[in-house]
Amino acid sequence: MHILLFCLIFVFALDRPAQAQNLRVAVAANFRDAAREIADRFSFEHETKVALSVGSTGQLAGQILLGAPFDVFLAADRETPAKLIRQGHANGRNSRPYALGRLVLVTSDGTEPLPQRLMDATRIAVPNPRSAPYGRAAKAYLERSDLWAKLEDKLVFGQSASASFAAVRSGAADRGLIALSLAKTHGVDYWPIPTDQYPAIEQHVLQVSDTEEAAAFVQFLLSPASESIIKKYGYGLP
């Protein structure tokens, strides 16, 4: 009887699908919604559970430096992954571009030209240039437009692009220089910042761990299967 029961349990176990593997992906805040959609599709096709950790590029890189067990890092720039490689945190792999970001101005009112909209603002939400590539792009635009010194007292810095967008949505700021992807996701009015007015925001992916699942996710991110999702959220393709 006991032998029969053991055999039945063994056969039942063989008949069950293998348990899905886990994959930890660090995602720059501007790419959160696109990453969720890509991760869902990847999970369905590869039977792999994907856990996303969202934050600013600088914040996530700091966690990797401290030993956070991420498998893949979707940064909002190319410099941060390159720095991690130099410091030996990605087994010498090259990072690769997966999306081109766009900077926009979000505001709840106003029809005047772009510089005047900024000058009329009471508070302007901007990602922190020290930790967020979109913040560095915003600072470069304001400096190139001779507006940084004039507006510096009005700037409200967020940890990431999504934090700055939340400041505009909550009323803590009446203007915001943020990622186009966030404006499109939430259906708010925005005005594009001319791309020749700030350095290109070339977002790079870095495979951090040496696993088959991590390699498969990077391959899927760079495949045509993900391109339509990336473009839907307002990004260009590299």
Side-chain angles (χ1 to χ4, degrees), residues 68-141:
F70 294 123
D71 300 292
V72 178
F73 180 26
L74 302 181
D77 64 1
R78 63 184 301 174
E79 293 80 12
T80 303
K83 182 178 179 180
L84 289 172
I85 290 174
R86 290 195 301 269
Q87 294 177 333
H89 290 274
N91 298 323
R93 295 183 182 86
N94 292 324
S95 63
R96 285 171 282 180
Y98 65 91
L100 300 175
R102 300 286 187 266
L103 185 69
V104 299
L105 172 69
V106 170
T107 176
S108 58
D109 55 23
T111 58
E112 59 273 271
L114 183 59
Q116 192 60 45
R117 290 195 187 111
L118 289 165
M119 292 299 296
D120 290 345
T122 302
R123 291 178 298 277
I124 305 168
V126 177
N128 191 332
R130 295 182 179 180
S131 61
Y134 279 84
R136 293 195 288 274
K139 183 178 181 180
Y141 161 68

Side-chain angles (χ1 to χ4, degrees), residues 13-229:
L14 289 177
D15 193 49
R16 296 178 64 187
Q19 186 176 2
Q21 299 296 313
N22 292 319
L23 188 70
R24 293 194 60 183
V25 179
V27 182
N30 72 89
F31 200 70
R32 176 192 60 195
D33 296 299
R36 284 176 177 169
E37 191 167 336
I38 291 170
D40 286 345
R41 185 174 296 184
F42 176 82
S43 295
F44 177 77
E45 295 185 9
H46 291 77
E47 294 186 352
T48 300
K49 296 179 181 178
V50 181
L52 301 181
S53 295
V54 180
S56 71
T57 292
Q59 177 187 37
L60 295 169
Q63 293 177 15
I64 292 173
L65 288 172
L66 292 174
F70 294 123
D71 300 292
V72 178
F73 180 26
L74 302 181
D77 64 1
R78 63 184 301 174
E79 293 80 12
T80 303
K83 182 178 179 180
L84 289 172
I85 290 174
R86 290 195 301 269
Q87 294 177 333
H89 290 274
N91 298 323
R93 295 183 182 86
N94 292 324
S95 63
R96 285 171 282 180
Y98 65 91
L100 300 175
R102 300 286 187 266
L103 185 69
V104 299
L105 172 69
V106 170
T107 176
S108 58
D109 55 23
T111 58
E112 59 273 271
L114 183 59
Q116 192 60 45
R117 290 195 187 111
L118 289 165
M119 292 299 296
D120 290 345
T122 302
R123 291 178 298 277
I124 305 168
V126 177
N128 191 332
R130 295 182 179 180
S131 61
Y134 279 84
R136 293 195 288 274
K139 183 178 181 180
Y141 161 68
L142 293 174
E143 289 179 335
R144 188 170 297 182
S145 303
D146 196 28
L147 292 172
W148 179 263
K150 299 174 183 177
L151 298 174
E152 194 168 4
D153 291 341
K154 298 181 178 182
L155 300 180
V156 179
F157 295 108
Q159 183 67 27
S160 65
S162 60
S164 295
F165 181 65
V168 179
R169 293 293 299 273
S170 69
D174 52 329
R175 304 284 192 275
L177 287 168
I178 59 149
L180 169 60
S181 57
L182 296 171
K184 289 180 70 69
T185 298
H186 296 277
V188 299
D189 292 333
Y190 63 87
W191 288 264
I193 305 298
T195 55
D196 61 354
Q197 296 298 304
Y198 57 90
I201 306 174
E202 188 176 273
Q203 305 196 186
H204 275 231
V205 59
L206 180 65
Q207 182 183 336
V208 181
S209 73
D210 189 18
T211 66
E212 292 182 4
E213 291 78 22
F217 185 86
V218 172
Q219 183 178 6
F220 186 81
L221 174 73
L222 301 175
S223 72
S226 296
E227 287 183 355
S228 60
I229 297 174

